[in-house]
Amino acid sequence: VVAKGAESCEGTGGDCSNCQCPPGACVYDAQAGLDIESAVASAGADTTIRLPPGVSGQQARHLVVSSQRLVLIGDDAGSSVMSFGYGSSLAVQPGASVTIENLRVNGGWTVSAHEGSELVLRNVTVDNLRVLSTNARVLLDNTMVHAKDFYADAALSLRSVGGHVSVVGGHVMDTFDGAKLKLEGYAGASFSFADYTVSGGWQTGPCVLLRGDSSDFSFDGVLIHECKSPLLYGPAPGVQGGNGSAIEFLGLESNLTLRNTNVTSHSSDHVGGCVYAGAERSRIWVYGGSMSKCTAHLAGGGISVIADEVDLHVDGLHITNMILTLSETWGGGIFFNSTMGTLSMTNTVIDSNAASFGGGLFVVANSTVLNRLHLSRNWAAELGGGLASWGTTTAIECTFDRNEAQSGGAWAVAHAFEGTQMHPAFLHIEKCLLDTNFASYSGGGLWVGVAHRPTLETRNVYFEMRMIDSTVTGNTAAKGSGGGFKIDGGCLELVGGKVAGNTARRGGGLFVGGASCATQSQNSWLIGEGAKIEDNEAEEGGGLLVEAVDSDDVRVLGTAGGVPFALSDDGRTVLTRGAGSPDYRVRVCQVPGMHGSSVQCSELDSHGGDAIWNQAATHPMALANDSSIVIIGLPYQGRYLAVDRTGAIVAEKEGQFVKFQESEVPRIAVVNAIRDNHPGWGMSSSVSRDWIAASGYHSLVIFRLKQQIFENVTCAPGVTAMAPSHNGTLLYVASHRRSDGVSNLVQIDAVSRECSPIGPWSASLVDFDTVRALALSPDGLFLYAAVSQKPLEYLDEIVQVLTINIRSGLRNQIATGSEFRSVVALKPLPDGGLMILSQAAVAGTRMFTGPWEFQLFRIFPTSIVVTNAVIERNRATKSRGGGLYITHLGQAIAVSISGARIGDGNFAELGGGGIMISQCWAPISVTGGTRVTGNTARGGGVGGIEIVLSVDARLDSVLVHGNTGGMTGGIGFGIFNDLETGLDIGEGWIMMTNVTMSSNTAVHGDGGGLCIMAIGGGVLRGCTVSGNRGGRGGGLAI
C-alpha cells in the first residue's frame, strides 16, 4: 500500500498502521491481491482506497466499516473488479460513511446501512444487490444490476426502516427468477428512482415489487420494458409466483409517485399488466409517461387498483393497446376498485384497449373526477366501451370517441355493480364530447342503469345525473334504445348543450325510463334550459323517448319509541302513547324534515287527567291542527273524550254502537279488547279546520271544535280509514258493509252527516279489513289509500300505498317495491310528496308483545319536465313521437312542458309528429309559450301534439302552427288510432287557455286545428283556431 498525503510510507499485507496521514488526507493505491477487509480494518477515520483496473483478485467476504468515512474507488473506466463472492456482505455501522465508485462487483452482495450512516454506490456494476437500511441515507448513482443468482428473490432488493434511499441512473436487467427490483419500506421510509431502466429477462413474480408500511416510493423517468411472467413462460419449478405485474404496490398507508415513467410489453398472471396496487389506505400519483402493450388475465391491462380507501391521481398519462385474456374481464386500460377511494384523471389518453366491462376504464369508487380525459377506440363486449363506472363521478371537458360496447358505447354508469355496497351517487358531465360511439344494443353514447328500485331498505340510496353544455353527436344504439344516451333509472338534468345526429331503434337522441328520481336536490327528470335535441332518428321517439317511469323515492325521516296514533297536517307532529305496560303516557313528537336528525318528544300535561292518561285502554286518536284538543278513544267502553293540553275533559260522548257478528270482525274485536296494546285496525281519525272525526270501528263521531260537542254518524258502519276534503265539507271513509264483507268507499257530508257514493266505481274496492289509512291529494284529484297485503305475524302486516282517481276509480301503486308495516296515517304534502306513519315492534321483539315504536317515512314524488328546450328535425321512421314521445308513466309521475320549441321538421310515421303522450296517469301540462310548429305525422295520427289514453291535460299559452297529420293537424286528444284500447278511461279532462292553433292540416281525418275524442270533458278558454284544414271540422272536431 502506498499512502499519499503529508508523508509517504509503505505498509505490507494491507497493514496501514505505519502510515501517519492526517485525517481526510489519506489515499491508498491498492496493489493486486489486496486483502480489503484487513485494509479497511486498519484504515484511518477518513480513508480512500483506489483499486487498480482489471481483475486483480481483491477479496472482501464480510466487510465492516465502523465509525469512519471510507471510499473505495476503481478506475474511471469502471473496469476495476472487487470479488465478494455470493453471500458476501458490507456493514456500514452507525455514523459511518461508505462511498464505492467505478467498480465491478462479482457475486451476490448484501449491504446494511445502520442508524445515521451513509452509503453511496456510484458507477457500480453488480450481479445481485440487497441493501438493508435503518434510518440511513442511501444513494445508488448509475448502478447496474445484472442478476446471475437464480435463487435470489430480487436482482436489486432495497429494504429501509425510516431513512431515505435514492437511486439515480442505472438499470437492472436479465433476472432469472423473482422480481428485478424489490423495495420494502417501513416507519416513514422513502425511496426515489430517477432515470432508471428495468428490462429484459423473465421472472415468476412482479418486475418491480413495492411493499410499504407508511412509506413513500417515487419514480421519475423510469423505463420498465419487456419484463416477462408465467403468463408467457410459466413459473420456475418450486418457486411461488406473485401477481406478476410490471409494478406491484402492496402494503398499508403508503404513497407511490410515477413521474414520466414508461411501462411497456409486460405480462401479468392475474390483474394489472403494467401496475397493480393493493396497498390499502394509500395514495398514488401518476404524472406523464405511458403504458402500452401490457397483458393481464382478468382486469386492468394498464393499471389495476384493488384495495380499500385508495386515492389515485393521474395527469398526462397515455395508456394504449392493453390485452386481457379471459372471457369475462374488467377495465382494459385501468381497473379501479376502491369503494371508499377516489380517482382523479387529467389530460390523460386511454385508447385501443378492450375488456368485457369498461374497455378503456372501469371504476368503482366513492368519488371520481375526470378532467380533459380522452377515451378513444376502446371496446367492451358488454358495458362501457370507453368507461364503465360506479359511484359519484364528475367529468369536465372530456372526449369519448369511436368506442364500442353492447350497451354504453362510450360510457356505462351502473348504480350499483353486482357485489358493491350501495351509496347515494351523482354524475356530473360538463362540456364533454361523446362523438361517433357505437352500442350494439342501448346507449350509443352513454348508458345509465340504476340496478335497484327504491324500497325501505334502499330509502337513502339515490342517483342523480346532471349534463351541462355537452355535445352528444353521431352515436348509434343499433338494436336498442337511446342513440345519444339512455337513462334507465335515477334523475336526469340536461342543461344546454346538444344531442344531435344520433340513431337508435327507440329514442334516437335519448331515452329516459326506469326507477326512482328523487334526490337531495331534485325530484324530476329535467330536459331543457337551452338544450338542443336535433336531427336524431329512431323507429319511435326520434328525439326523446320517456317510458315506464313509475317509481318514487322513499326515505325515513324519524323513528322514536311509543305507539303512533295520529299525524298532523304538516306531517311533522306525531301523537303517540307509551310503548307498552306500564307506560301509557301520551306524547307529542316533533319530527325534523331531514333524515338523520333526532326526534323531539314532550308529554302532554297530565295535570288533573292522570286517570285518563294512565288507563291501558286509552287511545289518543287525533290532534287538532293547533294541538289544543286531543280526542281520546276508549273503544272497549265505546266512549270518546275531548281533552285539552292540560288533561282536562272538555266534552265526552258515548258512541252509537253498531253491532257486528264477531265472525265478521274477529281481528278488530280481538285487537280492541287488548287493553295493553296499540291502536287496532278499526281505529281511525281525521282532522279538518272545524272538526275532528274519530272511529273506534263500532261507532263514528264528529267533534265540532267551535261548539266543543260530539255528534254521532250512523250511515257508515265499520269505518277503518277516513280523510277530510280540503274545504272541510266532506269526509271520505272506507266503510265495512255487513252483507258481503266488502269495503265501500263513501263520502259523508260533514254538516248533514249523510252518506253518498264517491262514484259508481266505489261500490266495491277491497276487502273490509285491508284499508288502513286514507288521505286526499293536494289537488283533490286522488285519494291515497294504505292497503294491507298480507299479515306477517299476529298484529303485523305488509301494506302497499295506492292512488285512486276520484273521477274514474283508476288505481295505481306508488313507491313500487316498498313494503310498509302497520300503517297508521297518511299525509300528502303540497309538493306532491306523501308522509307515511307506521308502527313497528322494537328490534328483537314481536309485534304482539311490544314494546313498540313509530317510523315516519316520506315519499318524494317525481315528474318529467321539459323546459326551454329545442327539439327539431328528429324522425320516428316507423312509429310515434317524432320530436318527443312520453308513454307508460306511473300515476304519481306528472308531465310538464314549458317554453319549449318543438318543430322545424320533426316527423313521425304514425302519430305525434311533434309531441306524443300516451298512457300517463298523472296531470300533463304544456305551458309557458311552448311552440309546436312545422311537424308532420304521415300515418293516422296527429301532426302537432297527440295525447291519448291519459287522464288530465292542461295547455296554456301554446302556439301550434303549420303541422300536418294524417288524422289531425294541430292537437288531438283521446284519438286511439291503432293503439290498444283495452283500457277505457273515459274520464280524461282537458283545460286549454290562450292556445293558438293555426295553419295546421289534417290530410285524411278530422279537426285540422283540434280534434277531441273519448274524453270525460273539458274547458277551452281564450283560444284561437284559424287557417286550419281538415276532412271534417277544418278548425275543430269534437
Side-chain angles (χ1 to χ4, degrees):
V1 179
V2 177
K4 297 181 178 179
E7 301 178 4
S8 294
C9 62
E10 293 186 4
T12 59
D15 182 6
C16 300
S17 59
N18 295 326
C19 299
Q20 302 299 321
C21 298
C26 291
V27 178
Y28 300 100
D29 289 330
Q31 306 301 314
L34 173 66
D35 183 347
I36 296 179
E37 292 182 43
S38 299
V40 170
S42 62
D46 194 348
T47 303
T48 299
I49 299 177
R50 295 200 303 219
L51 301 178
V55 180
S56 52
Q58 291 80 224
Q59 298 293 323
R61 187 71 179 176
H62 299 291
L63 189 59
V64 178
V65 180
S66 302
S67 302
Q68 64 191 95
R69 180 179 183 274
L70 172 67
V71 176
L72 290 175
I73 186 169
D75 72 307
D76 292 340
S79 63
S80 300
V81 177
M82 187 161 58
S83 299
F84 284 164
Y86 289 102
S88 297
S89 65
L90 166 62
V92 185
Q93 299 288 28
S97 172
V98 174
T99 300
I100 300 177
E101 298 184 20
N102 303 335
L103 288 181
R104 172 71 173 91
V105 179
N106 290 332
W109 195 22
T110 298
V111 180
S112 57
H114 295 276
E115 189 86 25
S117 64
E118 180 180 75
L119 171 67
V120 177
L121 303 182
R122 182 174 289 113
N123 299 326
V124 172
T125 301
V126 63
D127 289 343
N128 293 86
L129 177 60
R130 185 183 186 197
V131 177
L132 307 176
S133 171
T134 302
N135 291 321
R137 178 180 177 273
V138 178
L139 170 63
L140 277 60
D141 185 357
N142 196 34
T143 300
M144 315 295 179
V145 181
H146 296 164
K148 295 184 179 180
D149 186 347
F150 186 85
Y151 298 103
D153 65 348
L156 174 57
S157 178
L158 306 176
R159 182 182 186 275
S160 182
V161 179
H164 178 70
V165 178
S166 178
V167 180
V168 180
H171 66 245
V172 58
M173 59 187 303
D174 300 328
T175 305
F176 285 111
D177 190 27
K180 287 180 172 60
L181 176 60
K182 180 180 179 181
L183 309 181
E184 294 180 89
Y186 304 94
S190 61
F191 300 82
S192 63
F193 277 70
D195 302 322
Y196 200 77
T197 300
V198 182
S199 66
W202 63 275
Q203 76 287 327
T204 58
C207 186
V208 177
L209 175 60
L210 313 176
R211 190 182 301 276
D213 186 348
S214 301
S215 297
D216 294 327
F217 303 90
S218 176
F219 292 79
D220 190 350
V222 174
L223 171 64
I224 303 174
H225 178 59
E226 291 187 348
C227 293
K228 302 297 188 294
S229 80
L231 184 65
L232 299 181
Y233 292 96
V239 176
Q240 177 64 43
N243 195 61
S245 305
I247 300 176
E248 187 165 329
F249 178 39
L250 306 175
L252 182 69
E253 296 180 349
S254 294
N255 301 319
L256 170 62
T257 302
L258 303 177
R259 191 182 302 274
N260 300 318
T261 295
N262 300 310
V263 183
T264 181
S265 303
H266 181 79
S267 299
S268 165
D269 58 355
H270 187 45
V271 298
C274 291
V275 177
Y276 166 68
E280 295 185 355
R281 300 197 297 275
S282 296
R283 292 178 293 177
I284 304 169
W285 292 269
V286 182
Y287 301 103
S290 66
M291 299 180 186
S292 65
K293 300 179 181 178
C294 290
T295 302
H297 275 332
L298 183 63
I303 299 175
S304 182
V305 176
I306 307 175
D308 291 336
E309 300 180 44
V310 175
D311 296 337
L312 172 61
H313 309 269
V314 180
D315 188 351
L317 177 66
H318 185 194
I319 292 183
T320 183
N321 290 301
M322 302 298 173
I323 300 172
L324 299 177
T325 61
L326 295 182
S327 58
E328 186 169 279
T329 54
W330 289 266
I334 296 178
F335 176 80
F336 184 90
N337 186 358
S338 182
T339 54
M340 296 307 294
T342 62
L343 170 66
S344 66
M345 305 186 73
T346 304
N347 298 320
T348 293
V349 177
I350 302 176
D351 73 276
S352 306
N353 307 285
S356 302
F357 300 89
L361 172 62
F362 181 99
V363 180
V364 176
N366 183 55
S367 174
T368 301
V369 178
L370 309 173
N371 284 283
R372 296 182 296 280
L373 173 67
H374 188 182
L375 285 155
S376 178
R377 297 189 300 274
N378 300 286
W379 179 87
E382 297 192 43
L383 294 177
L387 166 62
S389 66
W390 175 96
T392 294
T393 303
T394 298
I396 299 176
E397 297 182 5
C398 295
T399 299
F400 301 77
D401 67 272
R402 292 169 288 175
N403 301 284
E404 295 186 20
Q406 182 183 70
S407 291
W411 188 352
V413 179
H415 184 237
F417 283 103
E418 184 177 357
T420 59
Q421 184 178 359
M422 297 179 68
H423 300 278
F426 303 88
L427 178 61
H428 183 94
I429 302 173
E430 185 172 352
K431 297 180 181 178
C432 290
L433 172 65
L434 283 71
D435 183 21
T436 321
N437 301 284
F438 178 86
S440 58
Y441 191 65
S442 291
L446 171 68
W447 174 85
V448 175
V450 176
H452 77 286
R453 304 184 71 82
T455 66
L456 298 188
E457 288 71 30
T458 61
R459 55 184 171 253
N460 293 308
V461 176
Y462 44 83
F463 182 88
E464 177 181 339
M465 171 182 168
R466 182 178 175 89
M467 180 179 282
I468 302 174
D469 296 334
S470 294
T471 300
V472 182
T473 181
N475 303 284
T476 300
K479 299 178 182 179
S481 49
F485 56 92
K486 177 179 181 178
I487 310 301
D488 193 6
C491 288
L492 166 68
E493 184 175 359
L494 181 65
V495 178
K498 181 167 65 175
V499 180
N502 304 284
T503 60
R505 192 175 68 83
R506 306 181 70 236
L510 58 153
F511 175 97
V512 176
S516 166
C517 173
T519 73
Q520 289 181 335
S521 62
Q522 66 183 87
N523 284 5
S524 63
W525 287 270
L526 174 62
I527 311 294
E529 299 302 332
K532 295 182 178 180
I533 303 173
E534 302 172 337
D535 302 302
N536 302 285
E537 183 173 305
E539 294 181 8
E540 64 176 350
L544 167 62
L545 174 59
V546 181
E547 181 182 65
V549 177
D550 63 354
S551 227
D552 301 274
D553 186 65
V554 183
R555 293 179 226 165
V556 63
L557 294 186
T559 298
V563 178
F565 283 79
L567 183 62
S568 63
D569 273 353
D570 63 2
R572 291 288 183 268
T573 304
V574 179
L575 183 65
T576 74
R577 193 189 67 174
S581 178
D583 179 11
Y584 304 111
R585 291 170 295 177
V586 178
R587 299 180 179 90
V588 176
C589 297
Q590 301 296 325
V591 180
M594 296 301 295
H595 170 72
S597 301
S598 60
V599 176
Q600 302 294 326
C601 297
S602 61
E603 294 184 18
L604 287 179
D605 188 351
S606 60
H607 177 69
D610 289 339
I612 297 174
W613 301 138
N614 293 327
Q615 289 188 50
T618 295
H619 295 261
M621 297 182 64
L623 184 70
N625 289 335
D626 60 1
S627 300
S628 61
I629 295 293
V630 180
I631 301 299
I632 302 297
L634 291 85
Y636 190 65
Q637 303 173 15
R639 297 175 60 215
Y640 300 89
L641 308 175
V643 182
D644 64 20
R645 289 296 293 266
T646 70
I649 298 174
V650 298
E652 61 181 299
K653 182 77 172 178
E654 294 289 336
Q656 186 165 336
F657 191 80
V658 181
K659 184 172 177 56
F660 289 85
Q661 297 178 12
E662 291 300 315
S663 61
E664 294 179 350
V665 288
R667 296 170 73 190
I668 299 296
V670 168
V671 167
N672 287 345
I674 299 174
R675 301 192 179 196
D676 290 344
N677 209 8
H678 49 94
W681 280 296
M683 299 194 64
S684 58
S685 64
S686 64
V687 179
S688 183
R689 181 183 59 186
D690 299 323
W691 48 261
I692 302 175
S695 170
Y697 184 75
H698 291 287
S699 59
L700 171 63
V701 296
I702 292 179
F703 178 74
R704 307 291 180 182
L705 290 168
K706 186 176 181 179
Q707 294 85 0
Q708 294 195 341
I709 61 172
F710 281 100
E711 296 175 343
N712 277 309
V713 180
T714 60
C715 66
V719 171
T720 61
M722 61 180 75
S725 64
H726 296 316
N727 59 9
T729 60
L730 295 175
L731 175 65
Y732 299 100
V733 300
S735 170
H736 173 63
R737 294 186 308 173
R738 177 179 175 181
S739 59
D740 55 11
V742 174
S743 181
N744 185 23
L745 277 179
V746 300
Q747 59 188 22
I748 300 174
D749 188 294
V751 177
S752 67
R753 291 169 283 148
E754 294 180 352
C755 296
S756 62
I758 297 176
W761 53 267
S762 66
S764 60
L765 182 63
V766 287
D767 290 344
F768 84 97
D769 63 343
T770 62
V771 182
R772 302 294 176 233
L774 283 175
L776 185 65
S777 65
D779 57 12
L781 298 177
F782 303 99
L783 281 172
Y784 292 94
V787 181
S788 174
Q789 299 302 299
K790 58 182 179 180
L792 292 183
E793 61 177 1
Y794 200 63
L795 303 179
D796 195 8
E797 60 182 356
I798 293 177
V799 175
Q800 291 182 349
V801 180
L802 305 179
T803 58
I804 305 170
N805 188 288
I806 289 179
R807 294 198 196 99
S808 66
L810 184 69
R811 300 187 295 274
N812 278 281
Q813 182 182 353
I814 64 174
T816 307
S818 295
E819 294 179 340
F820 302 95
R821 303 289 180 89
S822 301
V823 170
V824 175
L826 302 172
K827 289 294 179 182
L829 300 175
D831 66 357
L834 180 68
M835 307 295 286
I836 299 176
L837 179 64
S838 72
Q839 176 182 334
V842 174
T845 65
R846 297 179 69 245
M847 193 69 168
F848 182 71
T849 59
W852 301 280
E853 63 183 9
F854 73 82
Q855 292 180 318
L856 185 61
F857 302 95
R858 178 171 179 176
I859 297 179
F860 289 80
T862 52
S863 58
I864 306 295
V865 178
V866 179
T867 178
N868 298 325
V870 177
I871 303 176
E872 296 180 336
R873 299 185 303 278
N874 302 284
R875 295 175 58 84
T877 58
K878 293 186 179 181
S879 186
R880 301 169 176 84
L884 171 62
Y885 189 5
I886 301 176
T887 183
H888 289 89
L889 300 190
Q891 185 158 346
I893 313 298
V895 175
S896 173
I897 301 172
S898 175
R901 195 172 78 215
I902 301 174
D904 192 19
N906 291 304
F907 169 86
E909 179 65 25
L910 295 182
I915 300 174
M916 178 77 190
I917 301 177
S918 169
Q919 301 184 59
C920 298
W921 312 125
I924 300 162
S925 66
V926 183
T927 62
T930 294
R931 301 169 59 90
V932 182
T933 62
N935 303 284
T936 302
R938 186 163 61 186
V942 180
I945 302 174
E946 183 168 352
I947 301 177
V948 300
L949 291 174
S950 299
V951 178
D952 297 288
R954 180 173 68 93
L955 278 67
D956 180 53
S957 302
V958 178
L959 171 66
V960 182
H961 174 81
N963 302 283
T964 302
M967 182 74 175
T968 294
I971 303 174
F973 291 103
I975 301 173
F976 290 153
N977 312 326
D978 57 341
L979 291 173
E980 296 181 6
T981 58
L983 177 61
D984 182 8
I985 60 170
E987 290 290 336
W989 185 269
I990 64 171
M991 170 71 74
M992 295 177 59
T993 56
N994 303 316
V995 177
T996 298
M997 293 153 279
S998 60
S999 303
N1000 301 287
T1001 302
V1003 178
H1004 306 296
D1006 303 332
L1010 172 64
C1011 183
I1012 300 174
M1013 295 177 61
I1015 66 169
V1019 174
L1020 279 67
R1021 181 180 293 113
C1023 297
T1024 300
V1025 185
S1026 64
N1028 304 283
R1029 299 179 61 188
R1032 292 180 298 179
L1036 172 65
I1038 301 178

